[in-house]
Amino acid sequence: MSILVVGSVALDTIKTPQGTGKDILGGSATYFSISASFFNPVNLVAIVGYDFPSRYLKLLKKRGVDLTGLVIKRGKTFRWKGEYSWDFSYPKTLSTCLNVFSEFNPKIPPEYKKSQYLFLANIDPQIQRKVLNQVSPKLVALDTMDYWIENKRNHLLRLLGSVDLLLLNESEARMLTYQESIVKAAKELIKLGARMVIIKKGEHGSLLFSDKFIFSIPAFLLESIVDPTGAGDAFAGGVIGYLARCNKITQSNLKKALVYGAVMATFAVEDFSVRRLASIDAGDIRRRLKQFKRLSCF
Amino acid sequence: MSILVVGSVALDTIKTPQGTGKDILGGSATYFSISASFFNPVNLVAIVGYDFPSRYLKLLKKRGVDLTGLVIKRGKTFRWKGEYSWDFSYPKTLSTCLNVFSEFNPKIPPEYKKSQYLFLANIDPQIQRKVLNQVSPKLVALDTMDYWIENKRNHLLRLLGSVDLLLLNESEARMLTYQESIVKAAKELIKLGARMVIIKKGEHGSLLFSDKFIFSIPAFLLESIVDPTGAGDAFAGGVIGYLARCNKITQSNLKKALVYGAVMATFAVEDFSVRRLASIDAGDIRRRLKQFKRLSCF
């Protein structure tokens, strides 16, 4: 079952304790697409400027990502500059230049409309709504961030009733629900309309809540991280990629999807940009999944 | 196989967002003993003052904890006053009165010397050493805290070669090794002499490192916590209690021990002091273990 992703494709300049990457391929839709592409075909809707390097287009195409929906517009590509300190928690944003992204008004190409799995990556909830109005997928997954919770809370809340799988991190879940307990926050989000909620906890793993069950996995343990950018989107790519491949939303598949998400996130953080993530193969995923099982099954 | 624990028995006054407990039974050895007593007989070595309420002695005896090694001395019992804010992370210490605990010079009763499992709860590393000089158990587990890492680093480091199972939290592991990565910190601790290392991550679960394998579990999810005091010691009680009951240190038993530790910690935090922990039965533990499996197995 093919997957549709709507989000950002960007050029990032990132400094971490392990080094620096300048104008490297980034953006939520990029990390998601490449990660999900290991499981299923991906249809991408995004916008870039004339300065977008053709080698990055090639890279996406090589991973089988359909670029019919990628608008290339006069102007500059969305650029983000950030810096991580030693603990790799939140990055410090040094600059954000939306450029052509500020005019992003996603139109879903007709050939994308039958995509059954939709990932609304972290963008303005009003744009996410516009996308939802154009399609009727089997599963809608949605990511967001503190900025939208602060500035577009009501738009975001109104979306929740259309969301099957809401992905956010711990502090975002608390912000959106005013609940300190993560369990209470997740339950509140379900009450607000989301069918299921995934709480991403970075190096501490992730949690999945539905009204029927709760599932919890630790994170895969990496000795060193090069660049955590995109980990959450690569995680989402693994989760939704796996679900689309199974094409059956069962409790058991959801649990495995979470594990595949964790596995894909580890590849994302092992190098800058999608360098490592785009260069793996099915064998790498299989091996890491095995390691994950050894790490966490008792 | 009987278990020997050397640590503190205290009277705590604790404030949490859920309420207040005044002069309630606390101390590392208390939480550990009661937790471990569900798995195996426990021999306690500690010191209290003449003011120690007899109902607390009865409570410990009722759980089958042997009190031959509990010295009752003229003076007041160790008292700790602390407060937790809404996120239940570190408590703010309001006051610490060591009282008779400042004269703690543990002598292991002859009938305790054949105990095969030793838990050196969080006390002065020099006192931990004195205990080690009196016994030769099959497994030595040791807990510590930031205060000893800061003030008795070398004494603590010299102990590590005698430790089979070192228990500490993330920040303590970083403090003791100057390593930012938890994986690197744990490996460093093994290089420094500890045979195995357990990193306690509170609501994010725990990690077990040996030179042969790594194991990771998420925490059990509780909707609300009443008082997190003693969670780490109740966890240790579950881990060492289970290992002593199996009396065989295999990879599989170690993994299960970690899960039992997590389960016992959940009971500790559901009420003030050991109220909940001391009132459970084998069925409660079995049911929660089942829930834990449902929560984390895929």
Side-chain angles (χ1 to χ4, degrees), chain B residues 98-131:
Chain B
L98 290 179
N99 300 326
V100 297
F101 195 62
S102 63
E103 303 156 49
F104 190 37
N105 184 15
K107 295 225 164 31
I108 309 305
E111 56 268 53
Y112 280 14
K113 294 218 173 173
K114 57 186 191 304
S115 306
Q116 289 295 293
Y117 290 80
L118 169 63
F119 181 57
L120 293 165
N122 166 30
I123 46 173
D124 186 333
Q126 287 180 279
I127 298 181
Q128 291 177 321
R129 166 55 68 200
K130 279 188 191 170
V131 173

PDB file of all heavy atoms in Angstrom, chain B residues 98-131:
ATOM      1  N   LEU B  98      21.567  12.945  60.784  1.00  0.00           N
ATOM      2  CA  LEU B  98      22.107  11.587  60.825  1.00  0.00           C
ATOM      3  C   LEU B  98      21.814  10.915  62.161  1.00  0.00           C
ATOM      4  O   LEU B  98      21.552   9.717  62.220  1.00  0.00           O
ATOM      5  CB  LEU B  98      23.618  11.611  60.581  1.00  0.00           C
ATOM      6  CG  LEU B  98      24.037  11.965  59.150  1.00  0.00           C
ATOM      7  CD1 LEU B  98      25.554  11.980  59.040  1.00  0.00           C
ATOM      8  CD2 LEU B  98      23.462  10.971  58.141  1.00  0.00           C
ATOM      9  N   ASN B  99      21.897  11.695  63.246  1.00  0.00           N
ATOM     10  CA  ASN B  99      21.670  11.149  64.596  1.00  0.00           C
ATOM     11  C   ASN B  99      22.504   9.884  64.819  1.00  0.00           C
ATOM     12  O   ASN B  99      23.701   9.893  64.503  1.00  0.00           O
ATOM     13  CB  ASN B  99      20.169  10.925  64.827  1.00  0.00           C
ATOM     14  CG  ASN B  99      19.369  12.227  64.697  1.00  0.00           C
ATOM     15  OD1 ASN B  99      19.876  13.289  65.065  1.00  0.00           O
ATOM     16  ND2 ASN B  99      18.160  12.169  64.188  1.00  0.00           N
ATOM     17  N   VAL B 100      21.908   8.795  65.302  1.00  0.00           N
ATOM     18  CA  VAL B 100      22.719   7.591  65.601  1.00  0.00           C
ATOM     19  C   VAL B 100      23.388   6.999  64.364  1.00  0.00           C
ATOM     20  O   VAL B 100      24.377   6.270  64.466  1.00  0.00           O
ATOM     21  CB  VAL B 100      21.883   6.473  66.292  1.00  0.00           C
ATOM     22  CG1 VAL B 100      21.372   6.941  67.652  1.00  0.00           C
ATOM     23  CG2 VAL B 100      20.728   6.023  65.404  1.00  0.00           C
ATOM     24  N   PHE B 101      22.879   7.338  63.192  1.00  0.00           N
ATOM     25  CA  PHE B 101      23.451   6.793  61.953  1.00  0.00           C
ATOM     26  C   PHE B 101      24.901   7.261  61.770  1.00  0.00           C
ATOM     27  O   PHE B 101      25.698   6.603  61.089  1.00  0.00           O
ATOM     28  CB  PHE B 101      22.597   7.215  60.758  1.00  0.00           C
ATOM     29  CG  PHE B 101      22.870   6.432  59.512  1.00  0.00           C
ATOM     30  CD1 PHE B 101      22.649   5.060  59.473  1.00  0.00           C
ATOM     31  CD2 PHE B 101      23.346   7.056  58.366  1.00  0.00           C
ATOM     32  CE1 PHE B 101      22.899   4.331  58.308  1.00  0.00           C
ATOM     33  CE2 PHE B 101      23.589   6.328  57.197  1.00  0.00           C
ATOM     34  CZ  PHE B 101      23.368   4.965  57.183  1.00  0.00           C
ATOM     35  N   SER B 102      25.255   8.389  62.397  1.00  0.00           N
ATOM     36  CA  SER B 102      26.624   8.903  62.262  1.00  0.00           C
ATOM     37  C   SER B 102      27.620   7.979  62.970  1.00  0.00           C
ATOM     38  O   SER B 102      28.817   8.038  62.714  1.00  0.00           O
ATOM     39  CB  SER B 102      26.715  10.319  62.833  1.00  0.00           C
ATOM     40  OG  SER B 102      26.421  10.284  64.210  1.00  0.00           O
ATOM     41  N   GLU B 103      27.108   7.114  63.847  1.00  0.00           N
ATOM     42  CA  GLU B 103      28.010   6.177  64.553  1.00  0.00           C
ATOM     43  C   GLU B 103      27.900   4.769  63.973  1.00  0.00           C
ATOM     44  O   GLU B 103      28.357   3.800  64.588  1.00  0.00           O
ATOM     45  CB  GLU B 103      27.643   6.128  66.042  1.00  0.00           C
ATOM     46  CG  GLU B 103      27.668   7.476  66.739  1.00  0.00           C
ATOM     47  CD  GLU B 103      26.769   7.462  67.983  1.00  0.00           C
ATOM     48  OE1 GLU B 103      26.884   6.523  68.792  1.00  0.00           O
ATOM     49  OE2 GLU B 103      25.936   8.398  68.111  1.00  0.00           O
ATOM     50  N   PHE B 104      27.286   4.653  62.822  1.00  0.00           N
ATOM     51  CA  PHE B 104      27.047   3.325  62.221  1.00  0.00           C
ATOM     52  C   PHE B 104      28.379   2.636  61.906  1.00  0.00           C
ATOM     53  O   PHE B 104      29.194   3.130  61.135  1.00  0.00           O
ATOM     54  CB  PHE B 104      26.228   3.503  60.937  1.00  0.00           C
ATOM     55  CG  PHE B 104      25.719   2.207  60.341  1.00  0.00           C
ATOM     56  CD1 PHE B 104      25.286   1.154  61.142  1.00  0.00           C
ATOM     57  CD2 PHE B 104      25.645   2.061  58.955  1.00  0.00           C
ATOM     58  CE1 PHE B 104      24.800  -0.022  60.583  1.00  0.00           C
ATOM     59  CE2 PHE B 104      25.156   0.890  58.382  1.00  0.00           C
ATOM     60  CZ  PHE B 104      24.743  -0.155  59.204  1.00  0.00           C
ATOM     61  N   ASN B 105      28.591   1.507  62.564  1.00  0.00           N
ATOM     62  CA  ASN B 105      29.814   0.745  62.335  1.00  0.00           C
ATOM     63  C   ASN B 105      29.405  -0.724  62.258  1.00  0.00           C
ATOM     64  O   ASN B 105      29.534  -1.475  63.219  1.00  0.00           O
ATOM     65  CB  ASN B 105      30.797   0.993  63.503  1.00  0.00           C
ATOM     66  CG  ASN B 105      32.118   0.304  63.251  1.00  0.00           C
ATOM     67  OD1 ASN B 105      32.425  -0.116  62.132  1.00  0.00           O
ATOM     68  ND2 ASN B 105      32.907   0.144  64.311  1.00  0.00           N
ATOM     69  N   PRO B 106      28.897  -1.108  61.090  1.00  0.00           N
ATOM     70  CA  PRO B 106      28.205  -2.397  60.984  1.00  0.00           C
ATOM     71  C   PRO B 106      29.080  -3.597  61.327  1.00  0.00           C
ATOM     72  O   PRO B 106      30.180  -3.748  60.793  1.00  0.00           O
ATOM     73  CB  PRO B 106      27.764  -2.440  59.524  1.00  0.00           C
ATOM     74  CG  PRO B 106      28.556  -1.399  58.815  1.00  0.00           C
ATOM     75  CD  PRO B 106      28.919  -0.376  59.824  1.00  0.00           C
ATOM     76  N   LYS B 107      28.556  -4.402  62.264  1.00  0.00           N
ATOM     77  CA  LYS B 107      29.181  -5.690  62.592  1.00  0.00           C
ATOM     78  C   LYS B 107      28.216  -6.762  62.108  1.00  0.00           C
ATOM     79  O   LYS B 107      27.053  -6.782  62.507  1.00  0.00           O
ATOM     80  CB  LYS B 107      29.365  -5.815  64.101  1.00  0.00           C
ATOM     81  CG  LYS B 107      30.342  -4.813  64.680  1.00  0.00           C
ATOM     82  CD  LYS B 107      31.305  -5.424  65.670  1.00  0.00           C
ATOM     83  CE  LYS B 107      32.477  -4.471  65.907  1.00  0.00           C
ATOM     84  NZ  LYS B 107      32.171  -3.022  65.790  1.00  0.00           N
ATOM     85  N   ILE B 108      28.728  -7.639  61.260  1.00  0.00           N
ATOM     86  CA  ILE B 108      27.843  -8.668  60.710  1.00  0.00           C
ATOM     87  C   ILE B 108      27.713  -9.799  61.734  1.00  0.00           C
ATOM     88  O   ILE B 108      28.715 -10.433  62.088  1.00  0.00           O
ATOM     89  CB  ILE B 108      28.410  -9.209  59.373  1.00  0.00           C
ATOM     90  CG1 ILE B 108      28.757  -8.055  58.421  1.00  0.00           C
ATOM     91  CG2 ILE B 108      27.418 -10.169  58.727  1.00  0.00           C
ATOM     92  CD1 ILE B 108      27.635  -7.088  58.129  1.00  0.00           C
ATOM     93  N   PRO B 109      26.502 -10.055  62.229  1.00  0.00           N
ATOM     94  CA  PRO B 109      26.303 -11.152  63.187  1.00  0.00           C
ATOM     95  C   PRO B 109      26.768 -12.476  62.572  1.00  0.00           C
ATOM     96  O   PRO B 109      26.605 -12.690  61.362  1.00  0.00           O
ATOM     97  CB  PRO B 109      24.789 -11.162  63.406  1.00  0.00           C
ATOM     98  CG  PRO B 109      24.318  -9.810  62.988  1.00  0.00           C
ATOM     99  CD  PRO B 109      25.243  -9.373  61.897  1.00  0.00           C
ATOM    100  N   PRO B 110      27.343 -13.366  63.420  1.00  0.00           N
ATOM    101  CA  PRO B 110      27.872 -14.646  62.896  1.00  0.00           C
ATOM    102  C   PRO B 110      26.848 -15.398  62.060  1.00  0.00           C
ATOM    103  O   PRO B 110      27.186 -15.952  61.010  1.00  0.00           O
ATOM    104  CB  PRO B 110      28.220 -15.424  64.168  1.00  0.00           C
ATOM    105  CG  PRO B 110      28.294 -14.422  65.269  1.00  0.00           C
ATOM    106  CD  PRO B 110      27.482 -13.229  64.872  1.00  0.00           C
ATOM    107  N   GLU B 111      25.587 -15.378  62.520  1.00  0.00           N
ATOM    108  CA  GLU B 111      24.560 -16.149  61.794  1.00  0.00           C
ATOM    109  C   GLU B 111      24.219 -15.541  60.431  1.00  0.00           C
ATOM    110  O   GLU B 111      23.532 -16.160  59.633  1.00  0.00           O
ATOM    111  CB  GLU B 111      23.294 -16.330  62.646  1.00  0.00           C
ATOM    112  CG  GLU B 111      22.671 -15.031  63.150  1.00  0.00           C
ATOM    113  CD  GLU B 111      23.190 -14.624  64.538  1.00  0.00           C
ATOM    114  OE1 GLU B 111      24.430 -14.550  64.705  1.00  0.00           O
ATOM    115  OE2 GLU B 111      22.357 -14.374  65.428  1.00  0.00           O
ATOM    116  N   TYR B 112      24.687 -14.323  60.180  1.00  0.00           N
ATOM    117  CA  TYR B 112      24.444 -13.676  58.876  1.00  0.00           C
ATOM    118  C   TYR B 112      25.574 -13.983  57.873  1.00  0.00           C
ATOM    119  O   TYR B 112      25.443 -13.709  56.691  1.00  0.00           O
ATOM    120  CB  TYR B 112      24.406 -12.155  59.037  1.00  0.00           C
ATOM    121  CG  TYR B 112      23.108 -11.558  59.562  1.00  0.00           C
ATOM    122  CD1 TYR B 112      22.117 -12.343  60.142  1.00  0.00           C
ATOM    123  CD2 TYR B 112      22.898 -10.185  59.476  1.00  0.00           C
ATOM    124  CE1 TYR B 112      20.958 -11.770  60.643  1.00  0.00           C
ATOM    125  CE2 TYR B 112      21.738  -9.602  59.964  1.00  0.00           C
ATOM    126  CZ  TYR B 112      20.763 -10.404  60.548  1.00  0.00           C
ATOM    127  OH  TYR B 112      19.633  -9.820  61.035  1.00  0.00           O
ATOM    128  N   LYS B 113      26.692 -14.500  58.409  1.00  0.00           N
ATOM    129  CA  LYS B 113      27.906 -14.543  57.566  1.00  0.00           C
ATOM    130  C   LYS B 113      27.808 -15.495  56.392  1.00  0.00           C
ATOM    131  O   LYS B 113      28.572 -15.398  55.440  1.00  0.00           O
ATOM    132  CB  LYS B 113      29.122 -14.870  58.439  1.00  0.00           C
ATOM    133  CG  LYS B 113      29.403 -13.743  59.439  1.00  0.00           C
ATOM    134  CD  LYS B 113      30.871 -13.475  59.649  1.00  0.00           C
ATOM    135  CE  LYS B 113      31.023 -12.225  60.509  1.00  0.00           C
ATOM    136  NZ  LYS B 113      32.397 -11.956  60.907  1.00  0.00           N
ATOM    137  N   LYS B 114      26.856 -16.414  56.461  1.00  0.00           N
ATOM    138  CA  LYS B 114      26.723 -17.322  55.316  1.00  0.00           C
ATOM    139  C   LYS B 114      25.758 -16.794  54.251  1.00  0.00           C
ATOM    140  O   LYS B 114      25.513 -17.474  53.257  1.00  0.00           O
ATOM    141  CB  LYS B 114      26.345 -18.732  55.785  1.00  0.00           C
ATOM    142  CG  LYS B 114      25.074 -18.783  56.611  1.00  0.00           C
ATOM    143  CD  LYS B 114      24.834 -20.196  57.156  1.00  0.00           C
ATOM    144  CE  LYS B 114      23.445 -20.312  57.760  1.00  0.00           C
ATOM    145  NZ  LYS B 114      23.180 -19.303  58.823  1.00  0.00           N
ATOM    146  N   SER B 115      25.252 -15.592  54.444  1.00  0.00           N
ATOM    147  CA  SER B 115      24.369 -14.996  53.411  1.00  0.00           C
ATOM    148  C   SER B 115      25.126 -14.929  52.081  1.00  0.00           C
ATOM    149  O   SER B 115      26.249 -14.438  52.030  1.00  0.00           O
ATOM    150  CB  SER B 115      23.948 -13.582  53.811  1.00  0.00           C
ATOM    151  OG  SER B 115      23.370 -13.559  55.089  1.00  0.00           O
ATOM    152  N   GLN B 116      24.498 -15.414  51.044  1.00  0.00           N
ATOM    153  CA  GLN B 116      25.196 -15.514  49.757  1.00  0.00           C
ATOM    154  C   GLN B 116      24.970 -14.303  48.849  1.00  0.00           C
ATOM    155  O   GLN B 116      25.658 -14.128  47.858  1.00  0.00           O
ATOM    156  CB  GLN B 116      24.758 -16.793  49.038  1.00  0.00           C
ATOM    157  CG  GLN B 116      25.299 -18.057  49.678  1.00  0.00           C
ATOM    158  CD  GLN B 116      26.816 -18.125  49.578  1.00  0.00           C
ATOM    159  OE1 GLN B 116      27.371 -18.261  48.487  1.00  0.00           O
ATOM    160  NE2 GLN B 116      27.505 -18.000  50.704  1.00  0.00           N
ATOM    161  N   TYR B 117      23.977 -13.478  49.183  1.00  0.00           N
ATOM    162  CA  TYR B 117      23.672 -12.313  48.351  1.00  0.00           C
ATOM    163  C   TYR B 117      23.735 -11.068  49.228  1.00  0.00           C
ATOM    164  O   TYR B 117      23.016 -10.980  50.221  1.00  0.00           O
ATOM    165  CB  TYR B 117      22.293 -12.467  47.696  1.00  0.00           C
ATOM    166  CG  TYR B 117      22.338 -13.554  46.642  1.00  0.00           C
ATOM    167  CD1 TYR B 117      22.268 -14.897  46.998  1.00  0.00           C
ATOM    168  CD2 TYR B 117      22.526 -13.236  45.304  1.00  0.00           C
ATOM    169  CE1 TYR B 117      22.369 -15.897  46.047  1.00  0.00           C
ATOM    170  CE2 TYR B 117      22.620 -14.225  44.340  1.00  0.00           C
ATOM    171  CZ  TYR B 117      22.546 -15.552  44.712  1.00  0.00           C
ATOM    172  OH  TYR B 117      22.655 -16.532  43.763  1.00  0.00           O
ATOM    173  N   LEU B 118      24.614 -10.158  48.889  1.00  0.00           N
ATOM    174  CA  LEU B 118      24.828  -8.967  49.716  1.00  0.00           C
ATOM    175  C   LEU B 118      24.413  -7.720  48.955  1.00  0.00           C
ATOM    176  O   LEU B 118      24.836  -7.499  47.819  1.00  0.00           O
ATOM    177  CB  LEU B 118      26.322  -8.865  50.093  1.00  0.00           C
ATOM    178  CG  LEU B 118      26.778  -7.547  50.735  1.00  0.00           C
ATOM    179  CD1 LEU B 118      26.085  -7.304  52.073  1.00  0.00           C
ATOM    180  CD2 LEU B 118      28.300  -7.539  50.914  1.00  0.00           C
ATOM    181  N   PHE B 119      23.606  -6.900  49.587  1.00  0.00           N
ATOM    182  CA  PHE B 119      23.296  -5.587  49.013  1.00  0.00           C
ATOM    183  C   PHE B 119      23.865  -4.508  49.930  1.00  0.00           C
ATOM    184  O   PHE B 119      23.424  -4.336  51.062  1.00  0.00           O
ATOM    185  CB  PHE B 119      21.793  -5.387  48.858  1.00  0.00           C
ATOM    186  CG  PHE B 119      21.426  -4.049  48.251  1.00  0.00           C
ATOM    187  CD1 PHE B 119      21.927  -3.678  47.008  1.00  0.00           C
ATOM    188  CD2 PHE B 119      20.597  -3.156  48.914  1.00  0.00           C
ATOM    189  CE1 PHE B 119      21.596  -2.441  46.436  1.00  0.00           C
ATOM    190  CE2 PHE B 119      20.260  -1.919  48.352  1.00  0.00           C
ATOM    191  CZ  PHE B 119      20.768  -1.568  47.104  1.00  0.00           C
ATOM    192  N   LEU B 120      24.864  -3.805  49.416  1.00  0.00           N
ATOM    193  CA  LEU B 120      25.427  -2.663  50.126  1.00  0.00           C
ATOM    194  C   LEU B 120      24.638  -1.443  49.683  1.00  0.00           C
ATOM    195  O   LEU B 120      24.902  -0.869  48.628  1.00  0.00           O
ATOM    196  CB  LEU B 120      26.913  -2.514  49.784  1.00  0.00           C
ATOM    197  CG  LEU B 120      27.801  -3.661  50.304  1.00  0.00           C
ATOM    198  CD1 LEU B 120      29.160  -3.645  49.617  1.00  0.00           C
ATOM    199  CD2 LEU B 120      27.962  -3.569  51.819  1.00  0.00           C
ATOM    200  N   ALA B 121      23.648  -1.079  50.473  1.00  0.00           N
ATOM    201  CA  ALA B 121      22.809   0.064  50.115  1.00  0.00           C
ATOM    202  C   ALA B 121      23.651   1.333  50.180  1.00  0.00           C
ATOM    203  O   ALA B 121      24.811   1.308  50.589  1.00  0.00           O
ATOM    204  CB  ALA B 121      21.602   0.126  51.045  1.00  0.00           C
ATOM    205  N   ASN B 122      23.029   2.412  49.756  1.00  0.00           N
ATOM    206  CA  ASN B 122      23.725   3.684  49.618  1.00  0.00           C
ATOM    207  C   ASN B 122      24.211   4.248  50.961  1.00  0.00           C
ATOM    208  O   ASN B 122      23.473   4.928  51.654  1.00  0.00           O
ATOM    209  CB  ASN B 122      22.747   4.646  48.928  1.00  0.00           C
ATOM    210  CG  ASN B 122      23.185   6.069  49.014  1.00  0.00           C
ATOM    211  OD1 ASN B 122      24.375   6.365  49.070  1.00  0.00           O
ATOM    212  ND2 ASN B 122      22.204   6.972  49.050  1.00  0.00           N
ATOM    213  N   ILE B 123      25.464   3.897  51.319  1.00  0.00           N
ATOM    214  CA  ILE B 123      26.120   4.465  52.509  1.00  0.00           C
ATOM    215  C   ILE B 123      27.570   4.784  52.160  1.00  0.00           C
ATOM    216  O   ILE B 123      28.023   4.488  51.052  1.00  0.00           O
ATOM    217  CB  ILE B 123      26.085   3.488  53.725  1.00  0.00           C
ATOM    218  CG1 ILE B 123      26.491   2.069  53.287  1.00  0.00           C
ATOM    219  CG2 ILE B 123      24.717   3.471  54.384  1.00  0.00           C
ATOM    220  CD1 ILE B 123      26.648   1.097  54.446  1.00  0.00           C
ATOM    221  N   ASP B 124      28.280   5.367  53.079  1.00  0.00           N
ATOM    222  CA  ASP B 124      29.697   5.713  52.924  1.00  0.00           C
ATOM    223  C   ASP B 124      30.510   4.524  52.375  1.00  0.00           C
ATOM    224  O   ASP B 124      30.504   3.440  52.960  1.00  0.00           O
ATOM    225  CB  ASP B 124      30.207   6.116  54.318  1.00  0.00           C
ATOM    226  CG  ASP B 124      31.635   6.642  54.292  1.00  0.00           C
ATOM    227  OD1 ASP B 124      32.405   6.246  53.383  1.00  0.00           O
ATOM    228  OD2 ASP B 124      31.972   7.443  55.178  1.00  0.00           O
ATOM    229  N   PRO B 125      31.212   4.721  51.264  1.00  0.00           N
ATOM    230  CA  PRO B 125      31.994   3.620  50.675  1.00  0.00           C
ATOM    231  C   PRO B 125      32.988   3.006  51.665  1.00  0.00           C
ATOM    232  O   PRO B 125      33.300   1.822  51.567  1.00  0.00           O
ATOM    233  CB  PRO B 125      32.746   4.290  49.523  1.00  0.00           C
ATOM    234  CG  PRO B 125      31.959   5.507  49.191  1.00  0.00           C
ATOM    235  CD  PRO B 125      31.300   5.946  50.457  1.00  0.00           C
ATOM    236  N   GLN B 126      33.468   3.777  52.622  1.00  0.00           N
ATOM    237  CA  GLN B 126      34.405   3.213  53.603  1.00  0.00           C
ATOM    238  C   GLN B 126      33.692   2.228  54.535  1.00  0.00           C
ATOM    239  O   GLN B 126      34.274   1.235  54.948  1.00  0.00           O
ATOM    240  CB  GLN B 126      35.065   4.337  54.411  1.00  0.00           C
ATOM    241  CG  GLN B 126      36.093   5.084  53.570  1.00  0.00           C
ATOM    242  CD  GLN B 126      36.765   6.210  54.350  1.00  0.00           C
ATOM    243  OE1 GLN B 126      36.205   7.293  54.474  1.00  0.00           O
ATOM    244  NE2 GLN B 126      37.948   5.948  54.874  1.00  0.00           N
ATOM    245  N   ILE B 127      32.432   2.496  54.812  1.00  0.00           N
ATOM    246  CA  ILE B 127      31.642   1.543  55.608  1.00  0.00           C
ATOM    247  C   ILE B 127      31.299   0.324  54.757  1.00  0.00           C
ATOM    248  O   ILE B 127      31.342  -0.813  55.213  1.00  0.00           O
ATOM    249  CB  ILE B 127      30.366   2.217  56.168  1.00  0.00           C
ATOM    250  CG1 ILE B 127      30.767   3.370  57.097  1.00  0.00           C
ATOM    251  CG2 ILE B 127      29.498   1.206  56.907  1.00  0.00           C
ATOM    252  CD1 ILE B 127      29.596   4.102  57.724  1.00  0.00           C
ATOM    253  N   GLN B 128      31.014   0.576  53.472  1.00  0.00           N
ATOM    254  CA  GLN B 128      30.748  -0.550  52.559  1.00  0.00           C
ATOM    255  C   GLN B 128      31.959  -1.482  52.536  1.00  0.00           C
ATOM    256  O   GLN B 128      31.824  -2.705  52.551  1.00  0.00           O
ATOM    257  CB  GLN B 128      30.408  -0.024  51.164  1.00  0.00           C
ATOM    258  CG  GLN B 128      29.039   0.705  51.108  1.00  0.00           C
ATOM    259  CD  GLN B 128      28.715   1.290  49.746  1.00  0.00           C
ATOM    260  OE1 GLN B 128      29.592   1.822  49.061  1.00  0.00           O
ATOM    261  NE2 GLN B 128      27.436   1.228  49.357  1.00  0.00           N
ATOM    262  N   ARG B 129      33.147  -0.898  52.514  1.00  0.00           N
ATOM    263  CA  ARG B 129      34.387  -1.700  52.514  1.00  0.00           C
ATOM    264  C   ARG B 129      34.486  -2.539  53.780  1.00  0.00           C
ATOM    265  O   ARG B 129      34.832  -3.725  53.730  1.00  0.00           O
ATOM    266  CB  ARG B 129      35.603  -0.758  52.368  1.00  0.00           C
ATOM    267  CG  ARG B 129      36.959  -1.359  52.679  1.00  0.00           C
ATOM    268  CD  ARG B 129      37.294  -2.607  51.895  1.00  0.00           C
ATOM    269  NE  ARG B 129      37.490  -2.343  50.472  1.00  0.00           N
ATOM    270  CZ  ARG B 129      37.410  -3.276  49.519  1.00  0.00           C
ATOM    271  NH1 ARG B 129      37.121  -4.536  49.829  1.00  0.00           N
ATOM    272  NH2 ARG B 129      37.595  -2.962  48.247  1.00  0.00           N
ATOM    273  N   LYS B 130      34.175  -1.918  54.928  1.00  0.00           N
ATOM    274  CA  LYS B 130      34.240  -2.640  56.212  1.00  0.00           C
ATOM    275  C   LYS B 130      33.325  -3.855  56.208  1.00  0.00           C
ATOM    276  O   LYS B 130      33.656  -4.891  56.778  1.00  0.00           O
ATOM    277  CB  LYS B 130      33.816  -1.706  57.357  1.00  0.00           C
ATOM    278  CG  LYS B 130      34.922  -0.781  57.822  1.00  0.00           C
ATOM    279  CD  LYS B 130      34.476  -0.029  59.081  1.00  0.00           C
ATOM    280  CE  LYS B 130      35.453   1.095  59.408  1.00  0.00           C
ATOM    281  NZ  LYS B 130      34.921   1.975  60.472  1.00  0.00           N
ATOM    282  N   VAL B 131      32.165  -3.702  55.572  1.00  0.00           N
ATOM    283  CA  VAL B 131      31.235  -4.832  55.489  1.00  0.00           C
ATOM    284  C   VAL B 131      31.838  -5.933  54.624  1.00  0.00           C
ATOM    285  O   VAL B 131      31.863  -7.110  54.994  1.00  0.00           O
ATOM    286  CB  VAL B 131      29.875  -4.386  54.910  1.00  0.00           C
ATOM    287  CG1 VAL B 131      28.974  -5.595  54.672  1.00  0.00           C
ATOM    288  CG2 VAL B 131      29.204  -3.383  55.825  1.00  0.00           C
TER     289      VAL B 131
END
